[in-house]
Amino acid sequence: MKPANQASFPVRDYDLAASLASGQAFRWRQVGEVWEGIIAGCWVRLRQAGELIEAETAVPQADWLWLRNFLQLDVDLAAVTATFPDDEPMRASVAACRGLRLLRQEPWECLVSFICSSTKQIVQIQQIIALLCERFGEPITAGDKGECGFAFPSAARLAACTEADLRSCKMGFRAPYVRAAAEAVVSGELDLTKLHGFSTPAARAALMGLHGVGRKIADCVLLFAYGKQDAFPVDVWVRRALTELYFPRRRPSAKRLEHFANTHFGPNAGYAQQYLFHYVRTLRPKE
DNA sequence: CACCAGGGTACCT
DNA sequence: AGGTACCATGGT
């Protein structure tokens, strides 16, 4: 394929806006009808027109596999949702979030993002990540007029930061967690590439070895960066969804709820989780 | 100005 | 094992 800075991709059952804004990735900005973001240090502008996604980059591309992979264009969504449990809450969630997709992010960026996510609202997480990139990321060409953007900072760069450097990005008590994670990756103590070949429980255990990474954050990384679709992150919203939709009048114990979450949703439980998350959030528009 | 946010940890019964 | 204060910071 000849290098070009534009491409278009036919899609079915794809809601680009919902997928980019559903709290799984934090570097996408809506500008009118288009979405601008940076994937693996490459600036890209996306626009959905019906059953077509159009892409434009600042730098000509020899191929677009990186974007197809990020957007998971080859996933048959109907085949995924067909594995969801056939109950009223799932039917309502799928109906309300048609075309919602899981993206496939870079592990390091995803890990840092979710370490920074604890007890933060999505807008604040976006702000922290933006600051982190502006201060410590490599400058890149962005936009169609040669504007400047920033790649997500490497582990080596963040390992070289002081805790105060990181705190200046407003991440608060999470700063030492990010620093320690960066050092673990740089030293080779944690090999993020190897996790692709691990079972979900083994990869989860490896991630949870990091300070500040518990079950929830580990499962977010497993789901959003490694595509391990049996990972099922339970945050306050999903807990709320499970409690209100499946246990409307008795308050389930934490143990009961955990067991339910781990057994009820099938092989694509993580995908189902994203539908529940987005569904309950759209029910309460507190933005 | 309280209250809460895509939690985790340490410390307490 | 199961609950709870605390962590830092900003939005609503």
Side-chain angles (χ1 to χ4, degrees), chain A residues 155-233:
Chain A
R157 182 65 189 91
L158 293 188
C161 287
T162 65
E163 186 179 318
D165 290 336
L166 297 175
R167 280 182 186 264
S168 76
C169 298
K170 304 183 177 178
M171 65 176 73
F173 60 83
R174 304 154 194 85
Y177 298 159
V178 170
R179 238 191 74 71
E183 286 183 334
V185 168
V186 169
S187 72
E189 176 190 337
L190 176 64
D191 187 340
L192 291 176
T193 303
K194 274 191 182 169
L195 298 190
H196 284 288
F198 284 23
S199 69
T200 300
R204 177 183 290 132
L207 291 170
M208 287 178 66
L210 295 170
H211 207 49
V213 178
R215 171 70 183 250
K216 189 270 171 182
I217 290 176
D219 276 16
C220 283
V221 178
L222 294 174
L223 186 60
F224 301 140
Y226 291 95
K228 298 196 183 291
Q229 308 212 355
D230 49 335
F232 193 94

Side-chain angles (χ1 to χ4, degrees), chain A residues 4 33 36 49 69 81 85 112 131 141 157 195 201 226 230 245 247 255 267 269:
Chain A
E33 296 288 297
E36 297 179 350
N69 182 55
T81 57
V112 174
L131 284 169
T141 306
R157 182 65 189 91
L195 298 190
Y226 291 95
D230 49 335
L245 299 176
F247 303 89
K255 197 74 181 172

Side-chain angles (χ1 to χ4, degrees), chain A residues 11-219:
Chain A
V11 293
R12 282 194 315 155
D13 298 332
Y14 208 115
D15 186 337
L16 181 67
S19 304
L20 293 176
S22 63
Q24 44 179 326
F26 303 100
R27 295 197 72 196
W28 291 88
R29 190 166 72 101
Q30 186 169 22
V31 184
E33 296 288 297
V34 308
W35 290 83
E36 297 179 350
I38 293 167
I39 303 170
C42 182
W43 179 89
V44 60
R45 171 184 287 152
L46 301 174
R47 176 204 318 270
Q48 179 164 19
E51 300 202 321
L52 207 61
I53 291 178
E54 300 169 339
E56 176 187 353
T57 53
V59 177
Q61 303 296 310
D63 72 74
W64 296 86
L65 290 176
W66 56 278
L67 183 58
R68 298 191 63 86
N69 182 55
F70 178 84
L71 295 173
Q72 291 287 288
L73 293 180
D74 295 326
V75 168
D76 179 353
L77 186 60
V80 172
T81 57
T83 68
F84 292 174
D86 186 20
D87 57 38
E88 187 48 37
M90 277 318 308
R91 277 196 295 271
S93 300
V94 171
C97 313
R98 287 243 173 256
L100 178 63
R101 301 287 187 135
L102 288 181
L103 306 168
R104 182 68 55 87
Q105 302 175 56
E106 297 167 273
W108 172 242
E109 176 174 341
C110 189
L111 174 61
V112 174
S113 298
F114 279 96
I115 287 176
C116 293
S117 77
S118 64
T119 51
K120 281 289 185 192
Q121 299 181 143
I122 290 175
V123 285
Q124 294 176 266
I125 303 167
Q126 292 169 336
Q127 183 185 18
I128 292 169
I129 299 305
L131 284 169
L132 204 54
C133 293
E134 287 168 24
R135 305 226 167 134
F136 308 116
E138 291 294 323
I140 60 167
T141 306
D144 44 12
K145 301 186 194 66
E147 297 104 308
C148 182
F150 296 94
F152 190 86
S154 67
R157 182 65 189 91
L158 293 188
C161 287
T162 65
E163 186 179 318
D165 290 336
L166 297 175
R167 280 182 186 264
S168 76
C169 298
K170 304 183 177 178
M171 65 176 73
F173 60 83
R174 304 154 194 85
Y177 298 159
V178 170
R179 238 191 74 71
E183 286 183 334
V185 168
V186 169
S187 72
E189 176 190 337
L190 176 64
D191 187 340
L192 291 176
T193 303
K194 274 191 182 169
L195 298 190
H196 284 288
F198 284 23
S199 69
T200 300
R204 177 183 290 132
L207 291 170
M208 287 178 66
L210 295 170
H211 207 49
V213 178
R215 171 70 183 250
K216 189 270 171 182
I217 290 176
D219 276 16

